[in-house]
Amino acid sequence: MPDARALAALRSLGETALRLGRDTTSSRLALAHLHAVVDPAAVPADIRRPIVRELDAAAEAAAVPLAFKDVEKILKQAWGVKPTSELDDLEREPAAVTPAAQVHRGVLGGRPVAVKVIRPGIPEVVRSDLGLADALLRPLGAAFPRIDPAALVAEARERILDELDLEHEGSTQRAFHRALRHHPVLHVPAVHSALTHERVLVSDWVDGRPVLEATADERPAVARALVAFHVGGARFGTVHADPHPGNALLLGDGRVAFLDFGAARRVDAGRTDGAVAALDALAAGDAAALGKALHGLGWLPADAGPEADRLARELLDGLLDGPARLDADALLAIGERLEAHVQAVAMLAARTTVPPADLWPLRMLGGLFALCARLGVTEDWTTLVRTATRDGW
């Protein structure tokens, strides 16, 4: 595909995604979610104001809490009895309000618990909106001619619907809790399965500070914990694909607690081994080995290794070579380099195959990169990611 066609295909894909983003309730909910993820300082100055304005408006619209009587109704429908028949107490004011759910602090058996409910109508609206994703098939196929667009869209649909099933989320959280119950740094609260339902999730209450409120001295350890948890999950066999600032809390004893397990995806051990091989090759600057690893993962032809290695080094610059500061300025610099190399990126994209199973792990990596940049610390990021991928928790 000539350079001009590859670039035009990427632009068409972006324009279609933006149009859908303005037309659906689901995309407005996604914008509200992004409000806490996007650091305004990392957005180029010439487009910062309209983007921040749109994110602020979406967040404000989504922040209206449910009336307490509606919360009680959801709980009664799920449990078959009045909430007071199951809980010792339930605070009327929500502890957290998100675009899709709401959390109240309750008491169960004398212990504090978090009671999460899905907003009424959200699953039905999202399920309807997902039908519009078929509009992405043609531009997605044009930008990435080697992929299977229908398979990728089907994967996204399935994962998004999983996020709206709190029984599914509870099952995932239980698995993480059991795996990490003795970990010295990572913590996942226990789930109360008897009270967990498709639209209700009850788990132990966690008192902590949002990780973005960590002090300068605390932030390096927090960043290491975030990488260990999210990337190490691949070795465990499941990735938590939503490294959102509100989903991680710094506890008083220095541990980091992780919440909200709706966005999760099983990962095959063979793919994790392949990712280790690719990261090792990238760290060593071995373009041939990188091409072989990417080919093994089904991402690129083996002969694309040199181009993939060159682009990675030009775009990420010093982030691949030992300790480097990751912050808003680093993200802005990457954006500028991406703009300068957009044609080369488009040409490589035209040769790329994205296996559907990798879609949510990629979402995890993008979110983790953005969250760590909010912490603004200096770490050897390549070593942290390689170690977590190879050894897990």
Side-chain angles (χ1 to χ4, degrees):
M1 179 185 291
D3 288 1
R5 287 184 59 196
L7 191 55
L10 278 180
R11 285 176 175 159
S12 176
L13 175 61
E15 289 168 0
T16 302
L18 284 173
R19 188 177 69 253
L20 289 177
R22 296 188 184 97
D23 292 343
T24 66
T25 299
S26 299
S27 54
R28 288 191 288 274
L29 292 175
L31 286 175
H33 180 81
L34 283 173
H35 180 265
V37 176
V38 174
D39 182 357
V43 180
D46 58 334
I47 59 172
R48 184 176 302 158
R49 183 173 294 180
I51 287 180
V52 170
R53 185 168 56 244
E54 189 163 354
L55 292 177
D56 285 346
E60 184 178 354
V64 179
L66 289 171
F68 186 67
K69 62 181 179 60
D70 293 328
V71 174
E72 290 182 307
K73 182 178 179 181
I74 294 169
L75 295 177
K76 184 176 181 180
Q77 289 173 340
W79 298 341
V81 295
K82 292 181 178 180
T84 51
S85 298
E86 296 287 358
L87 299 172
D88 303 335
D89 188 31
L90 183 65
E91 294 185 359
R92 297 183 65 87
E93 293 300 317
V97 178
T98 74
Q102 187 161 307
V103 179
H104 288 254
R105 189 181 192 275
V107 179
L108 176 65
R111 297 178 56 186
V113 291
V115 181
K116 178 179 179 179
V117 298
I118 289 286
R119 289 174 177 266
I122 290 294
E124 293 78 11
V125 169
V126 171
R127 190 173 287 108
S128 174
D129 287 347
L130 286 174
L132 300 176
D134 287 342
L136 289 171
L137 293 179
R138 181 172 293 180
L140 194 58
F144 300 91
R146 293 176 179 264
I147 69 167
D148 181 346
L152 280 181
V153 169
E155 169 71 9
R157 281 195 185 109
E158 186 173 350
R159 299 283 78 79
I160 289 169
L161 291 175
D162 281 347
E163 292 184 46
L164 299 172
D165 181 348
L166 294 187
E167 195 164 23
H168 178 272
E169 177 178 336
S171 175
T172 303
Q173 184 171 330
R174 277 195 298 273
F176 274 82
H177 167 74
R178 288 186 60 82
L180 292 168
R181 62 189 182 278
H182 300 305
H183 199 282
V185 177
L186 311 177
H187 173 71
V188 173
V191 173
H192 296 270
S193 301
L195 296 181
T196 294
H197 176 271
E198 183 180 357
R199 302 201 177 187
V200 177
L201 171 62
V202 180
S203 58
D204 283 352
W205 183 264
V206 176
D207 279 315
R209 289 175 288 145
V211 291
L212 294 185
E213 293 180 10
T215 66
D217 289 340
E218 293 169 330
R219 289 188 171 212
V222 168
R224 291 192 291 272
L226 290 170
V227 173
F229 174 78
H230 287 286
V231 178
R235 183 57 67 189
F236 165 63
T238 302
V239 294
H240 182 307
D242 189 16
H244 186 280
N247 290 345
L249 298 175
L250 180 59
L251 306 184
D253 59 7
R255 292 181 299 162
V256 178
F258 294 90
L259 314 172
D260 200 343
F261 286 77
R265 216 290 181 189
R266 294 287 299 168
V267 179
D268 181 75
R271 300 204 66 72
T272 305
D273 291 338
V276 171
L279 288 167
D280 286 346
L282 191 61
D286 189 336
L290 178 61
K292 181 179 179 181
L294 293 175
H295 178 69
L297 287 167
W299 273 78
L300 283 166
D303 64 5
E307 179 64 7
D309 182 77
R310 182 185 69 81
L311 273 177
R313 295 185 183 286
E314 289 182 348
L315 295 178
L316 296 176
D317 197 25
L319 289 174
L320 293 175
D321 304 315
R325 184 172 178 82
L326 180 57
D327 56 15
D329 288 340
L331 294 187
L332 283 171
I334 290 171
E336 291 171 357
R337 291 192 291 270
L338 179 61
E339 187 175 358
H341 294 87
V342 67
Q343 287 193 338
V345 171
M347 290 296 291
L348 194 63
R351 305 186 68 193
T352 299
T353 301
V354 182
D358 292 344
L359 198 57
W360 250 227
L362 284 173
R363 172 185 169 179
M364 177 273 291
L365 288 174
L368 180 62
F369 194 69
L371 179 54
C372 287
R374 297 288 296 272
L375 294 172
V377 298
T378 299
E379 287 290 337
D380 186 341
W381 302 104
T382 302
T383 297
L384 285 179
V385 172
R386 289 171 66 200
T387 301
T389 309
R390 183 184 64 245
D391 301 336
W393 301 321

